[in-house]
Amino acid sequence: MARDGSDPTDYAVVAWREEGQWQLTSVVPHAADSLGGLERALRANPSEGGAIALVSYVEEFFLVARTVGSDVRFLLSDVGAAPEWPLAAEVLDRLGLPMPDDDDLEQVQPAGDLSLLEDLGMDPMELSMLCENLDMYADEALASIASRLGFGEKFETVLDTVLE
């Protein structure tokens, strides 16, 4: 839950490959307000390569999560979100990382597994640059990731129905 009680999730989309084709579905926004809910949404769509969640929060930061076997890997776009947003703090806790101090808040710093999409063709450096791009909103970064992974058009179609 957000600090003011409002729903922090702009949208959550889960993608997985089935018979060589990307399949996408939206996730009920409140399901992505906690890691437990997001993990359940990911596991509801099992695939050989694991399901991927792309989640935008308050247009400020994003989370990419991916199931890999029984594990879930995470990438939080900015550790600076953790002091204000419980979900971001929950990610840091799960990753075993400390809450950022004031010095850590001066620049955007991703946290987690920058290589979680590498086997799908997304270089960790490219993912890091998306996280650190101050001129790009969270939804734009996620659209770029979806496009790079090969399901950009389907991602936009799902968003059109979710954001209506």
Side-chain angles (χ1 to χ4, degrees):
M1 180 180 294
R3 61 193 156 127
D4 64 359
S6 65
D7 184 3
T9 306
D10 299 321
Y11 61 81
V13 174
V14 174
W16 69 98
R17 291 181 68 83
E18 190 173 286
E19 297 181 11
Q21 299 294 314
W22 282 108
Q23 306 298 315
L24 279 74
T25 189
S26 62
V27 175
V28 179
H30 69 78
D33 288 348
S34 73
L35 290 187
L38 187 58
E39 287 173 331
R40 283 187 294 282
L42 279 166
R43 292 187 198 296
N45 301 291
S47 75
E48 291 178 13
I52 301 164
L54 303 175
V55 191
S56 174
Y57 296 96
V58 294
E59 299 180 5
E60 295 291 324
F61 67 98
F62 64 86
L63 178 65
V64 178
R66 182 177 183 193
T67 56
V68 179
S70 61
D71 294 328
V72 180
R73 296 161 56 189
F74 298 99
L75 174 65
L76 178 66
S77 66
D78 184 12
V79 298
E84 289 188 57
W85 300 99
L87 183 279
E90 188 178 1
V91 172
L92 291 186
D93 186 55
R94 178 72 66 88
L95 295 171
L97 298 173
M99 187 65 73
D101 59 28
D102 290 341
D103 292 337
D104 294 330
L105 301 176
E106 293 180 17
Q107 64 182 26
V108 175
Q109 293 181 22
D113 188 353
L114 286 166
S115 67
L116 83 163
L117 302 173
E118 188 170 25
D119 64 317
L120 298 172
M122 184 124 203
D123 183 83
M125 184 60 96
E126 185 180 2
L127 195 50
S128 176
M129 288 173 30
L130 283 174
C131 291
E132 296 169 5
N133 186 339
L134 298 176
D135 294 326
M136 188 176 277
Y137 288 107
D139 62 325
E140 295 169 324
L142 292 175
S144 181
I145 291 168
S147 179
R148 184 73 171 84
L149 295 179
F151 55 84
E153 287 183 30
K154 288 183 178 184
F155 182 77
E156 293 298 330
T157 300
V158 169
L159 287 188
D160 286 345
T161 62
V162 170
L163 301 176
E164 288 183 336

